[in-house]
Amino acid sequence: MSFNLLAAARREMAERGFEPDLPEAAVDQARTLEAHTEPGLRDLTGLLWSSVDNDDSRDLDQIEWAERTAGGIRVLVGDLPTAPIEPGSCALITLYHVVEHLLDPAADLRAAARLLQPDGRLIVQVPDRDCWEAALLGERWTGLDVPRHLHVFRSSDVRRLLRTCGFEVVREKHFSLRDHPAGLATGLAP
């Protein structure tokens, strides 16, 4: 019988008080986001390109392809503090595994606050130094990722940073089925 990593990760999560599956409230929230449409918004999940974040990962083919599609997709390469985006014009800004790579996370978060609409949302995901994988794996924990990760955050650090930059934390989640099983496997068998 082969080792079932997903089952092991779910068992470990449950033993430590984590919820291995999305709660119904989160599923409902995702459905609401999927159903929300405004003029000019497009579902990009089926496109054959990934996000472009900063100029050292710039993929000109992806940018050119995106801008030439019907209706055009505006692709900006750079950073939030200098982005040519109208203040208060963004409904949602996502920073999935971005903040730990930034030289000055506070500057980017203050810029995000400036760019968001008054009722806009910011979603941040970073490795958590207080997670059970970090305790289990120690220096093999993939969240350390030196030298790419310039910052290693604990949940309390992220909360404090967000509040300092003008945000109110309305929800926290401490597990990702997308990231944790792979991170655990990499740390156990590098």
Side-chain angles (χ1 to χ4, degrees):
M1 185 170 138
S2 64
F3 179 72
N4 185 328
L5 181 60
L6 181 58
R10 286 175 181 236
R11 187 174 48 255
E12 291 294 324
M13 288 172 52
E15 287 175 10
R16 287 166 175 78
F18 293 100
E19 213 172 308
D21 293 306
L22 287 173
E24 190 59 36
V27 173
D28 288 343
Q29 188 176 26
R31 286 186 189 123
T32 300
L33 288 172
E34 288 171 353
H36 179 74
T37 58
E38 286 183 23
L41 290 182
R42 295 177 47 201
D43 178 4
L44 305 179
T45 56
L47 299 180
L48 300 176
W49 54 278
S50 60
S51 66
V52 177
D53 46 34
N54 52 36
D55 24 353
D56 66 350
S57 68
R58 185 176 190 159
D59 185 327
L60 296 176
D61 292 337
Q62 292 175 352
I63 294 171
E64 187 175 333
W65 183 86
E67 290 176 344
R68 288 184 182 180
T69 59
I73 300 168
R74 184 172 174 216
V75 178
L76 301 174
V77 178
D79 56 14
L80 285 176
T82 61
I85 300 172
E86 186 70 30
S89 65
C90 296
L92 173 68
I93 294 175
T94 61
L95 299 173
Y96 290 106
H97 291 277
V98 171
V99 179
E100 65 272 22
H101 298 273
L102 300 171
L103 288 174
D104 186 358
D108 283 82
L109 290 170
R110 283 191 298 273
R114 192 173 54 253
L115 297 174
L116 282 170
Q117 298 170 353
D119 61 344
R121 295 281 188 233
L122 173 72
I123 299 174
V124 174
Q125 182 178 0
V126 297
D128 181 2
R129 183 63 180 111
D130 288 338
C131 73
W132 63 269
E133 292 103 326
L136 176 71
L137 299 171
E139 66 183 31
R140 291 188 329 245
W141 176 55
T142 57
L144 293 176
D145 201 14
V146 175
R148 289 180 293 274
H149 289 179
L150 303 177
H151 306 277
V152 179
F153 295 102
R154 296 169 304 188
S155 295
S156 59
D157 300 327
V158 175
R159 282 192 300 274
R160 185 172 32 262
L161 178 61
L162 288 168
R163 287 186 184 117
T164 299
C165 295
F167 290 97
E168 173 191 1
V169 177
V170 295
R171 180 171 172 243
E172 290 184 43
K173 180 180 167 192
H174 295 274
F175 187 81
S176 164
L177 278 176
R178 185 196 73 170
D179 297 333
H180 282 89
L184 179 61
T186 302
L188 290 172

